[in-house]
């Protein structure tokens, strides 16, 4: 759970800085396998002395407003600009958290952005990700973090 | 394109070794943004002197048969066992390709597994992933590889 705190902080900070958006945090919970997500999810991998994945999942309206704040104009739908904005947001959240987890010497992979109603994201093996629900004036956001130390 | 060859080889080898499945390869193409994928996709990040993402996307029937071959029994649906099998398969494909790309000194993140009909996976920014379609006796598979060298 110690590893989750940096993510709590970075999510709140990145939304405030990038989208002038104040988040209210809900209770973190262990995400059941194949937890349903919102309409669009940014996914990024971390690797080093620990490996992990961070998923930032947003309702359509939240994604559009975040992209609006980051790009200066409201996108008409979940287009390439929104993909870029959500990829960048995910990258910043993971990057900021990782710098607070120096003991794992992790580096970031490239973000990818998943779309599609009712998509689910599961983590294989014994890793149970922690899901952290947030709310903002535009709707809900859920951040999932799965992290495990390398055994080798 | 030099970077794609190791992935072509590793996909074919991993399916042969793990699932006794011979693949026929189609023509690689530049994946348009938000390329639709098959029913279930394994996603894994790579990071080091280059960063990247590998997506292994399978039709439901292919995923079930691959899991059958890896686990010894046919799963009734796309359950946790299939998630584990596809995560492991994605991990092996990326791991085997990365060992042939030593110049980038990359390490792997944790795989995640996306499900949901009509989900799409997009890569933000200027990265255009290369998609490689494959066919096997159970149906189609598509592997997408996005890789770029770090500028720093």
């Amino acid at each position: 759970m110690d590893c989750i705190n940096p993510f709590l902080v970075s999510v709140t900070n990145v939304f405030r800085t990038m989208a002038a958006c104040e988040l209210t945090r809900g209770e973190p919970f262990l995400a059941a396998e194949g937890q349903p997500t919102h309409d669009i999810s940014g996914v990024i991998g971390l690797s080093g002395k620990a490996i992990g994945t961070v998923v930032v999942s947003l309702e359509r309206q939240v994604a559009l407003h975040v992209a609006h704040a980051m790009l200066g104009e409201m996108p008409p739908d979940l287009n390439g600009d929104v993909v870029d904005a959500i990829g960048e947001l995910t990258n910043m959240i993971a990057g900021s958290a990782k710098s607070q987890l120096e003991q794992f010497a992790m580096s970031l992979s490239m973000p990818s952005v998943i779309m599609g109603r009712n998509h689910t994201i599961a983590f294989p093996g014994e890793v149970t990700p922690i899901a952290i629900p947030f709310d903002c004036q535009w709707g809900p956001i859920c951040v999932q973090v799965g992290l495990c130390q390398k055994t080798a």
Side-chain angles (χ1 to χ4, degrees), chain A residues 13 17 61 79 83 90 93 102 109 112 126 139-140 145 151:
Chain A
N13 286 347
T17 313
Q61 282 305 316
N79 61 14
V83 166
T90 306
I93 288 169
E102 278 184 339
S109 73
S112 50
E126 301 93 61
V145 178
T151 45

PDB file of all heavy atoms in Angstrom, chain A residues 13 17 61 79 83 90 93 102 109 112 126 139-140 145 151:
ATOM      1  N   ASN A  13      -2.434  15.811  -8.518  1.00  0.00           N
ATOM      2  CA  ASN A  13      -1.606  16.929  -9.003  1.00  0.00           C
ATOM      3  C   ASN A  13      -1.691  17.118 -10.507  1.00  0.00           C
ATOM      4  O   ASN A  13      -1.780  18.241 -10.999  1.00  0.00           O
ATOM      5  CB  ASN A  13      -0.128  16.717  -8.628  1.00  0.00           C
ATOM      6  CG  ASN A  13       0.112  16.967  -7.152  1.00  0.00           C
ATOM      7  OD1 ASN A  13      -0.752  17.513  -6.472  1.00  0.00           O
ATOM      8  ND2 ASN A  13       1.271  16.555  -6.669  1.00  0.00           N
ATOM      9  N   THR A  17      -2.991  20.410 -12.383  1.00  0.00           N
ATOM     10  CA  THR A  17      -2.066  21.217 -13.188  1.00  0.00           C
ATOM     11  C   THR A  17      -2.471  21.247 -14.661  1.00  0.00           C
ATOM     12  O   THR A  17      -2.448  22.290 -15.296  1.00  0.00           O
ATOM     13  CB  THR A  17      -0.642  20.617 -13.096  1.00  0.00           C
ATOM     14  OG1 THR A  17      -0.364  20.347 -11.732  1.00  0.00           O
ATOM     15  CG2 THR A  17       0.391  21.552 -13.667  1.00  0.00           C
ATOM     16  N   GLN A  61     -17.153  12.006 -21.126  1.00  0.00           N
ATOM     17  CA  GLN A  61     -17.271  13.443 -20.861  1.00  0.00           C
ATOM     18  C   GLN A  61     -16.032  13.986 -20.141  1.00  0.00           C
ATOM     19  O   GLN A  61     -15.605  15.114 -20.385  1.00  0.00           O
ATOM     20  CB  GLN A  61     -18.514  13.752 -20.005  1.00  0.00           C
ATOM     21  CG  GLN A  61     -19.817  13.753 -20.792  1.00  0.00           C
ATOM     22  CD  GLN A  61     -19.781  14.704 -21.995  1.00  0.00           C
ATOM     23  OE1 GLN A  61     -19.314  15.837 -21.903  1.00  0.00           O
ATOM     24  NE2 GLN A  61     -20.234  14.223 -23.145  1.00  0.00           N
ATOM     25  N   ASN A  79     -11.484  11.559 -30.571  1.00  0.00           N
ATOM     26  CA  ASN A  79     -10.634  11.467 -31.765  1.00  0.00           C
ATOM     27  C   ASN A  79      -9.147  11.364 -31.399  1.00  0.00           C
ATOM     28  O   ASN A  79      -8.789  11.169 -30.226  1.00  0.00           O
ATOM     29  CB  ASN A  79     -10.912  12.679 -32.670  1.00  0.00           C
ATOM     30  CG  ASN A  79     -10.579  13.994 -31.964  1.00  0.00           C
ATOM     31  OD1 ASN A  79      -9.922  13.997 -30.922  1.00  0.00           O
ATOM     32  ND2 ASN A  79     -11.038  15.101 -32.527  1.00  0.00           N
ATOM     33  N   VAL A  83      -6.962  10.984 -27.815  1.00  0.00           N
ATOM     34  CA  VAL A  83      -6.012   9.892 -27.593  1.00  0.00           C
ATOM     35  C   VAL A  83      -4.663  10.451 -27.153  1.00  0.00           C
ATOM     36  O   VAL A  83      -4.076   9.999 -26.169  1.00  0.00           O
ATOM     37  CB  VAL A  83      -5.852   9.024 -28.875  1.00  0.00           C
ATOM     38  CG1 VAL A  83      -4.642   8.108 -28.784  1.00  0.00           C
ATOM     39  CG2 VAL A  83      -7.128   8.223 -29.125  1.00  0.00           C
ATOM     40  N   THR A  90      -1.632  10.084 -18.896  1.00  0.00           N
ATOM     41  CA  THR A  90      -1.229   8.808 -18.288  1.00  0.00           C
ATOM     42  C   THR A  90       0.279   8.771 -18.076  1.00  0.00           C
ATOM     43  O   THR A  90       0.777   8.344 -17.036  1.00  0.00           O
ATOM     44  CB  THR A  90      -1.669   7.639 -19.204  1.00  0.00           C
ATOM     45  OG1 THR A  90      -3.067   7.771 -19.462  1.00  0.00           O
ATOM     46  CG2 THR A  90      -1.390   6.292 -18.581  1.00  0.00           C
ATOM     47  N   ILE A  93       1.152  11.052 -15.104  1.00  0.00           N
ATOM     48  CA  ILE A  93       0.769  10.468 -13.817  1.00  0.00           C
ATOM     49  C   ILE A  93       1.772   9.380 -13.416  1.00  0.00           C
ATOM     50  O   ILE A  93       2.281   9.372 -12.289  1.00  0.00           O
ATOM     51  CB  ILE A  93      -0.672   9.887 -13.889  1.00  0.00           C
ATOM     52  CG1 ILE A  93      -1.676  11.049 -13.949  1.00  0.00           C
ATOM     53  CG2 ILE A  93      -0.957   8.951 -12.722  1.00  0.00           C
ATOM     54  CD1 ILE A  93      -3.105  10.631 -14.276  1.00  0.00           C
ATOM     55  N   GLU A 102      11.842   5.927  -6.201  1.00  0.00           N
ATOM     56  CA  GLU A 102      13.202   5.787  -6.734  1.00  0.00           C
ATOM     57  C   GLU A 102      13.835   4.444  -6.430  1.00  0.00           C
ATOM     58  O   GLU A 102      14.680   3.966  -7.179  1.00  0.00           O
ATOM     59  CB  GLU A 102      14.099   6.886  -6.150  1.00  0.00           C
ATOM     60  CG  GLU A 102      13.966   8.197  -6.861  1.00  0.00           C
ATOM     61  CD  GLU A 102      14.942   9.227  -6.316  1.00  0.00           C
ATOM     62  OE1 GLU A 102      15.409   9.045  -5.172  1.00  0.00           O
ATOM     63  OE2 GLU A 102      15.219  10.202  -7.027  1.00  0.00           O
ATOM     64  N   SER A 109       7.240   2.762 -20.190  1.00  0.00           N
ATOM     65  CA  SER A 109       7.083   2.387 -21.593  1.00  0.00           C
ATOM     66  C   SER A 109       6.253   3.470 -22.280  1.00  0.00           C
ATOM     67  O   SER A 109       6.061   4.558 -21.746  1.00  0.00           O
ATOM     68  CB  SER A 109       6.411   1.025 -21.714  1.00  0.00           C
ATOM     69  OG  SER A 109       5.044   1.106 -21.405  1.00  0.00           O
ATOM     70  N   SER A 112      -0.460   3.433 -24.239  1.00  0.00           N
ATOM     71  CA  SER A 112      -1.432   3.121 -25.283  1.00  0.00           C
ATOM     72  C   SER A 112      -2.807   3.491 -24.747  1.00  0.00           C
ATOM     73  O   SER A 112      -2.982   3.633 -23.541  1.00  0.00           O
ATOM     74  CB  SER A 112      -1.358   1.653 -25.713  1.00  0.00           C
ATOM     75  OG  SER A 112      -1.398   0.807 -24.601  1.00  0.00           O
ATOM     76  N   GLU A 126      -0.684 -13.430 -10.307  1.00  0.00           N
ATOM     77  CA  GLU A 126      -1.082 -13.181  -8.919  1.00  0.00           C
ATOM     78  C   GLU A 126      -1.234 -11.693  -8.606  1.00  0.00           C
ATOM     79  O   GLU A 126      -1.492 -11.318  -7.470  1.00  0.00           O
ATOM     80  CB  GLU A 126      -0.066 -13.765  -7.943  1.00  0.00           C
ATOM     81  CG  GLU A 126       0.136 -15.254  -8.070  1.00  0.00           C
ATOM     82  CD  GLU A 126       1.293 -15.566  -8.993  1.00  0.00           C
ATOM     83  OE1 GLU A 126       2.426 -15.160  -8.689  1.00  0.00           O
ATOM     84  OE2 GLU A 126       1.069 -16.197 -10.050  1.00  0.00           O
ATOM     85  N   GLY A 139     -17.410  14.030 -14.159  1.00  0.00           N
ATOM     86  CA  GLY A 139     -17.774  12.618 -14.058  1.00  0.00           C
ATOM     87  C   GLY A 139     -16.679  11.800 -13.384  1.00  0.00           C
ATOM     88  O   GLY A 139     -15.745  12.353 -12.800  1.00  0.00           O
ATOM     89  N   PRO A 140     -16.780  10.475 -13.461  1.00  0.00           N
ATOM     90  CA  PRO A 140     -15.861   9.609 -12.736  1.00  0.00           C
ATOM     91  C   PRO A 140     -14.580   9.250 -13.505  1.00  0.00           C
ATOM     92  O   PRO A 140     -14.542   9.263 -14.737  1.00  0.00           O
ATOM     93  CB  PRO A 140     -16.684   8.340 -12.508  1.00  0.00           C
ATOM     94  CG  PRO A 140     -17.646   8.293 -13.635  1.00  0.00           C
ATOM     95  CD  PRO A 140     -17.895   9.714 -14.070  1.00  0.00           C
ATOM     96  N   VAL A 145      -3.579   0.490 -10.344  1.00  0.00           N
ATOM     97  CA  VAL A 145      -2.135   0.333 -10.272  1.00  0.00           C
ATOM     98  C   VAL A 145      -1.812  -1.113  -9.872  1.00  0.00           C
ATOM     99  O   VAL A 145      -2.275  -1.588  -8.836  1.00  0.00           O
ATOM    100  CB  VAL A 145      -1.520   1.291  -9.228  1.00  0.00           C
ATOM    101  CG1 VAL A 145      -0.018   1.088  -9.135  1.00  0.00           C
ATOM    102  CG2 VAL A 145      -1.857   2.736  -9.552  1.00  0.00           C
ATOM    103  N   THR A 151      11.394 -10.903  -8.845  1.00  0.00           N
ATOM    104  CA  THR A 151      11.925 -11.938  -7.958  1.00  0.00           C
ATOM    105  C   THR A 151      13.367 -12.282  -8.302  1.00  0.00           C
ATOM    106  O   THR A 151      14.089 -12.827  -7.489  1.00  0.00           O
ATOM    107  CB  THR A 151      11.055 -13.206  -8.034  1.00  0.00           C
ATOM    108  OG1 THR A 151      10.785 -13.476  -9.413  1.00  0.00           O
ATOM    109  CG2 THR A 151       9.740 -12.989  -7.295  1.00  0.00           C
TER     110      THR A 151
END
